[in-house]
Amino acid sequence: MSTPSRSLATMRAVAPLVHCIANYVAMNFQANVLLAAGAAPAMVHAPEESGEFAAIAPALSINIGTLSPRWVEGMVAAARVAADAGKPWVLDPVACFATGLRREATAQLMELRPTILRGNASEILSIAGQDTSGSGVDSGDPVAAAEAAARKIATETGCVVAVTGETDFVTDGTRAVRISGGSALMPRVTATGCSLSALCAAYVASVEDSFDATVGALAHFAAAGEIAAGRAQGPGSFAPAFLDALAAVTPMTIGDDRVSPA
């Protein structure tokens, strides 16, 4: 098993290009997170080119935050090309439980077998067919409530499932870990979760084992959150401090010990 410190060193050495189909709210911050962490973003969502670009980029990140039928068309086209080419891709099913359009889009994308599914507890419970307490884009359920659902999804689909929150949970159906760290300010800055999904794509483009890649990305985020919290006075100053912290985290400071077996 690769440690987060090794995964970070590998990701930065590769500096992968990540094809991001993000939402309007997250695009700018997500792109800056990838740059600060050591990767490169490409924000390409139009169906006329998303499939073609997915064939070029080494990894794909799909976020369903601001949906429209044409955006769904672009997402499906890109995911299909990535899946057919054996390229890793990440699904962030934002508020997938909230509307019929979101449920349908999530079902279409899950059929294409994402390499990594990254969501909050309510989103993961919904995909597993269970009741949730989610409201809008926010989770109404604790991470612990979705751990069994995450294991079920991972076993049935073959993807790595990351349930993120106060303490993150990652499983591939066989292995499972929890990751501590971060900051209470992170949920108060929009697009942090969306950006974490893109960072997972950067890691899985670089690290051979998708479970190790996911753990590395989440540990990197958690370490940066801790650093930024020590410098910020509130949510407004946290965002730029977090970008600085993502760049400042090194293999020596990422904290392999924040990862524990689950």
Side-chain angles (χ1 to χ4, degrees), residues 205-218:
S206 313
V207 177
E208 184 175 353
D209 187 300
S210 56
F211 179 83
D212 290 347
T214 307
V215 172
L218 270 58

Side-chain angles (χ1 to χ4, degrees), residues 42-159:
M43 321 307 282
V44 179
H45 64 268
E48 291 82 1
E49 64 172 349
S50 62
E52 184 178 356
F53 200 88
I56 299 169
L60 167 69
S61 173
I62 294 178
N63 176 296
I64 70 166
T66 51
L67 280 183
S68 72
R70 277 185 54 76
W71 278 54
V72 174
E73 185 182 347
M75 292 171 183
V76 171
R80 182 170 288 118
V81 168
D84 289 346
K87 294 189 176 187
W89 70 280
V90 179
L91 175 60
D92 186 336
V94 180
C96 58
F97 49 81
T99 67
L101 177 62
R102 291 175 184 277
R103 290 189 291 271
E104 183 180 348
T106 299
Q108 282 185 275
L109 291 165
M110 285 299 296
E111 287 179 1
L112 294 170
R113 299 296 179 101
T115 311
I116 299 168
L117 174 67
R118 202 287 317 165
N120 64 37
S122 295
E123 291 158 353
I124 300 305
L125 284 166
S126 176
I127 290 173
Q130 299 179 27
D131 292 335
T132 80
S133 301
S135 175
V137 300
D138 298 320
S139 179
D141 302 282
V143 170
E147 289 187 1
R151 292 179 190 270
K152 176 177 181 286
I153 294 167
T155 300
E156 291 178 352
T157 67
C159 69

